Amino acid sequence: MKELVLSEEQIAQITKKLGDDLTLALKDEKKIPVALVVMRGAMNFAADLIRNIKRNIFIDYIQIASYEGTSTDGVIHLLKDCGKDLEDRTVIIIEDIVDTGYSMEWLVDHIKNTKHAKKVIVTALFDKPLNRQTPVQVDYCGHVLDSNKFLVGYGLDYNGIGRNVPYVFIPTEDEVKAWGKELKEE
Ligand code: IMP
Ligand code: MG
C-alpha cells in the first residue's frame, strides 16, 4: 500500500504557517530579501510558500544535483547558478528536503562566500535527520521525518517521476519497478 506522508491539506497548512513565520522574520529587512528556489525539487513548495510571504521579495533560483535514483554520492554539481544580486541581501534558501545535508552545506557556503549574501535563512519542507552526514541547520522546517524512506510527490521525484503529484508519499516497490520499466522504454 502506498503510504501518504503529507496530504494536500497538510501541505496548505504548513506553507501558510511557514509563510507567516517568514513574514515576521523578514519584517525589519531594509533591502528586499531574495527567495532562492532550489530547482527542481523545491518548485512546488516554493510556489505555495512565497504566496504566503506578505511583503516584497525577489525570487531567484539555482539548480544543483547530487542524486542518482535513491542515493547520493555527496558530490554537488552546479547545473544552473543564480544571479549576482544577492550581495548584502538576506537570502531565504527554499529546499524540498535536507537529507545527508551535503547539498545544503554546499548551498549555504556558495550563497555566503561566493554570492556574499548578508544573511542566509534555510527553509525546507522536510528534514530527514536520521540520514545526516554533515551538520546543517534548518531554520524553518515543514515536517521532520522519523524514518529515512525515500519520498515522492509535490516536487520530490524518483528519476524525474512524481514531481507533479500534489501530495507526498512513499512509493511501493511495485510502483518503483513500474516506473523503472517506463523509464527504460523512453
Ligand atoms: P542531501 O544533499 O542528501 O541533503 O539531499 C538533498 C537533495 O536530495 C534534496 O534536495 C532532494 O532533491 C534529494 N532527496 C533527498 N531525499 C529525497 C527523497 O526522499 N525523495 C526525493 N528526493 C530526495
Ligand atoms: Mg533538491
Side-chain angles (χ1 to χ4, degrees), residues 4-186:
L4 185 68
V5 178
L6 286 184
S7 66
E8 288 180 74
E9 292 73 23
Q10 287 172 307
I11 289 169
Q13 282 171 6
I14 286 171
T15 49
K16 167 79 174 68
K17 163 85 172 67
L18 291 179
D20 288 347
D21 291 349
L22 283 165
T23 303
L24 195 63
L26 298 169
K27 77 175 179 5
D28 294 329
E29 292 291 333
K30 297 271 176 312
K31 273 190 147 184
I32 298 177
V34 180
L36 185 69
V37 187
V38 186
M39 297 299 261
R40 287 173 284 195
M43 62 185 181
N44 305 39
F45 173 49
D48 287 335
L49 180 62
I50 58 176
R51 283 180 286 178
N52 283 297
I53 299 178
K54 307 296 181 195
R55 61 153 293 148
N56 285 335
I57 49 169
F58 292 138
I59 315 287
D60 200 352
Y61 63 93
I62 188 166
Q63 190 176 2
I64 59 170
S66 68
Y67 263 70
E68 179 66 37
T70 59
S71 61
T72 173
D73 56 9
V75 181
I76 309 303
H77 308 276
L78 176 62
L79 303 182
K80 195 160 194 331
D81 203 359
C82 51
K84 287 197 184 74
D85 52 355
L86 307 187
E87 196 161 325
D88 289 328
R89 288 181 198 279
T90 289
V91 176
I92 309 113
I93 300 180
I94 305 180
E95 179 58 304
D96 51 3
I97 181 166
V98 178
D99 184 23
T100 61
Y102 290 134
S103 303
M104 192 51 75
E105 182 181 52
W106 186 94
L107 280 164
V108 170
D109 176 72
H110 183 66
I111 301 309
K112 271 190 184 153
N113 300 322
T114 308
K115 301 291 172 177
H116 308 292
K118 182 183 85 174
K119 182 178 168 192
V120 175
I121 297 175
V122 174
T123 308
L125 177 59
F126 291 106
D127 190 355
K128 226 189 225 180
L130 292 178
N131 258 0
R132 198 72 97 252
Q133 304 294 321
T134 184
V136 160
Q137 186 186 328
V138 182
D139 301 304
Y140 295 90
C141 176
H143 186 80
V144 180
L145 295 158
D146 56 11
S147 98
N148 52 21
K149 289 192 181 147
F150 197 77
L151 314 181
V152 172
Y154 192 62
L156 294 154
D157 71 305
Y158 172 81
N159 284 334
I161 287 183
R163 293 195 200 276
N164 55 316
V165 176
Y167 51 87
V168 183
F169 65 102
I170 298 167
T172 62
E173 270 179 40
D174 285 351
E175 229 161 358
V176 173
K177 261 189 216 148
W179 292 339
K181 191 163 170 280
E182 195 178 341
L183 286 165
K184 237 186 225 158
E185 287 163 2
E186 272 292 286

